[in-house]
Amino acid sequence: MSMLHALELATNAIKNCRPNPAVGAVVMKNGIAIGEGFTKEVGKDHAEIVAIKNAIANNGGNLEGSELFVTLEPCSHFGRTPPCTDTIIKSGIKKVFYGFLDPNPQVEGKGIAKLNEAGIETILKTANGKTSDFYESYSWCVKNKTPFVTLKIAQTADGFIAGADKKRLKITGEESQIKLHELRSWCDAVIVGGGTFRTDNPQLTVRKVRGANPQKIIFSRENFNGGTFAENWHALINSLAQKGMHHILVEAGANLSQNLFLIPNSFQKFLLWTSPLRIENGLSWNSTLLPHNLTLTKTYSQGNDLCEEFSTSLDYRVSRVVARGQATR
Ligand SMILES: NC(=O)c1ccc[n+]([C@@H]2O[C@H](COP(=O)([O-])OP(=O)(O)OC[C@H]3O[C@@H](n4cnc5c(N)ncnc54)[C@H](OP(=O)(O)O)[C@@H]3O)[C@@H](O)[C@H]2O)c1
């Protein structure tokens, strides 16, 4: 539970911490949370330091024998801030549970090694793989210096994404809705097309889980001075990269998905959610245009819905990170 809580805290960091990774941390003593925090703005305290300061304030300064739950490996180098490992070692914390090894070459296991040398036990705890999923975008950014884009489509069993006349349709069940809201909370921004904005005006907020709202972005010709779809899409993603964003979710309508399928590498992950609902007539999406380099990586159920995950680029998951990206801290 503590790592899951740390992950929820991390979502609060996304809005202000970029280009740094969003991290959440909880200090536990005798099974009770005595301090918590998340990454502040660039150059200010990392999550561990916020949580430790919070725990010291709450617990009269005595952290002897306490445990730290932190979603990402603590840093061990002097960057814009001093090494978090030094503060952890001085604090009296005896055990550190971490959710993901930092792929930044300046850290990459060195934080864990430093804690171990100081006699602090370290244990990888991924909350059933959630921390790895959360930092998939960070790993991608460290290597590629551009945001990780997830494209999501929900369809009926007979392949429709909206009703006749583009009428808004509740396609997926509660479990998928919860998963969608969690995914939104992990993202810097959610993009919908102008068509969806006009027909649905979706809130795109996080309501079904605890977590922070992403920025809402409408992809529309109104926001550009002419330009083709591809030119404008690249311009938008470049502008989000300049802001240091790591993860963009696209909740795509028919037109947006069709165009993205035609732009090479416009997304890294494709989520296709299929519900048992049949409507026989409605707005369909063009699956024949799906890029050929998609690999089905996961299939699972969300309530009565089937979720298929496709990846366009598997190499970043397994390769050792050598490039020094913008997404460092
Ligand atoms: N089931 C699902 O997963 C799902 C998800 C989302 C939406 N939907 C459904 O999809 C339907 C809407 O789909 P849709 O095909 O009408 O629209 P859409 O895919 O949501 O939006 C496409 C939009 O891209 C914009 N665009 C096109 N060319 C552009 C360019 N050169 N530069 C910048 N922007 C450009 C246009 O916005 P402008 O017209 O404003 O210029 C266009 O309307 C709704 O019924 C909604 O309920 C379903």
Side-chain angles (χ1 to χ4, degrees):
M1 285 306 284
S2 302
M3 188 58 81
L4 276 179
H5 182 49
L7 195 53
E8 283 168 8
L9 289 166
T11 70
N12 293 302
I14 293 173
K15 195 173 169 195
N16 295 315
C17 74
R18 297 305 191 207
N20 283 345
V23 181
V26 180
V27 180
M28 302 283 293
K29 193 166 183 183
N30 302 325
I32 297 166
I34 56 168
E36 61 179 44
F38 53 85
T39 323
K40 299 289 174 199
E41 295 87 346
V42 168
K44 295 195 176 159
D45 285 343
H46 290 174
E48 305 88 316
I49 308 304
V50 180
I52 288 171
K53 283 182 180 172
N54 184 229
I56 288 171
N58 290 340
N59 208 51
N62 181 9
L63 302 195
E64 277 309 316
S66 55
E67 297 174 344
L68 175 70
F69 288 77
V70 58
T71 54
L72 187 67
E73 176 186 7
C75 69
S76 53
H77 64 290
F78 280 89
R80 298 178 189 102
T81 56
C84 290
T85 46
D86 293 4
T87 305
I88 296 168
I89 292 165
K90 278 191 215 133
S91 72
I93 286 170
K94 281 288 160 264
K95 203 185 266 190
V96 173
F97 295 91
Y98 64 101
F100 195 72
L101 264 186
D102 193 335
N104 172 5
Q106 287 177 301
V107 189
E108 232 189 357
K110 298 183 194 82
I112 296 303
K114 201 164 171 190
L115 292 175
N116 292 158
E117 278 161 25
I120 295 177
E121 188 182 352
T122 53
I123 298 170
L124 177 66
K125 199 173 173 69
T126 68
N128 287 330
K130 271 185 195 274
T131 49
S132 325
D133 289 346
F134 180 73
Y135 287 117
E136 187 176 24
S137 57
Y138 172 50
S139 301
W140 165 264
C141 284
V142 166
K143 190 172 178 188
N144 297 284
K145 301 174 195 143
T146 182
F148 185 90
V149 178
T150 298
L151 176 64
K152 180 232 132 202
I153 289 179
Q155 65 170 355
T156 62
D158 44 3
F160 297 108
I161 63 165
D165 300 327
K166 298 190 180 175
K167 203 164 174 246
R168 188 178 193 165
L169 191 65
K170 189 173 182 317
I171 295 173
T172 51
E174 184 65 12
E175 286 85 351
S176 293
Q177 292 302 307
I178 290 169
K179 183 77 186 161
L180 173 61
H181 283 226
E182 182 185 65
L183 179 58
R184 282 180 185 164
S185 77
W186 291 4
C187 289
D188 296 76
V190 180
I191 299 176
V192 291
T196 299
F197 175 63
R198 283 188 293 277
T199 54
D200 299 357
N201 191 13
Q203 295 183 61
L204 306 176
T205 52
V206 176
R207 305 181 297 280
K208 291 185 181 286
V209 297
R210 280 184 299 187
N213 289 333
Q215 189 182 327
K216 177 175 172 176
I217 296 176
I218 316 298
F219 187 67
S220 164
R221 280 163 291 211
E222 281 183 24
N223 300 329
F224 297 91
N225 242 339
T228 64
F229 187 99
E231 286 166 350
N232 293 344
W233 182 259
H234 288 309
L236 173 61
I237 296 299
N238 284 341
S239 74
L240 303 184
Q242 292 301 315
K243 290 179 181 166
M245 289 192 181
H246 288 192
H247 196 172
I248 313 298
L249 174 64
V250 185
E251 297 191 25
N255 184 281
L256 190 53
S257 56
Q258 178 163 321
N259 278 289
L260 291 181
F261 292 155
L262 297 172
I263 304 175
N265 304 317
S266 60
F267 57 93
Q268 281 64 54
K269 185 182 275 191
F270 175 51
L271 296 179
L272 180 61
W273 295 356
T274 307
S275 83
L277 184 71
R278 288 187 175 273
I279 58 170
E280 289 176 5
N281 183 23
L283 177 70
S284 50
W285 62 288
N286 196 339
S287 59
T288 60
L289 292 177
L290 274 172
H292 294 299
N293 61 342
L294 281 182
T295 311
L296 180 64
T297 51
K298 280 188 200 168
T299 307
Y300 49 92
S301 299
Q302 286 169 177
N304 293 325
D305 305 326
L306 174 74
C307 179
E308 291 168 287
E309 284 192 25
F310 300 83
S311 176
T312 52
S313 45
L314 290 171
D315 65 317
Y316 68 92
R317 292 176 190 219
V318 287
S319 65
R320 189 182 152 79
V321 175
V322 284
R324 190 163 290 197
Q326 59 162 14
T328 58
R329 51 184 186 148

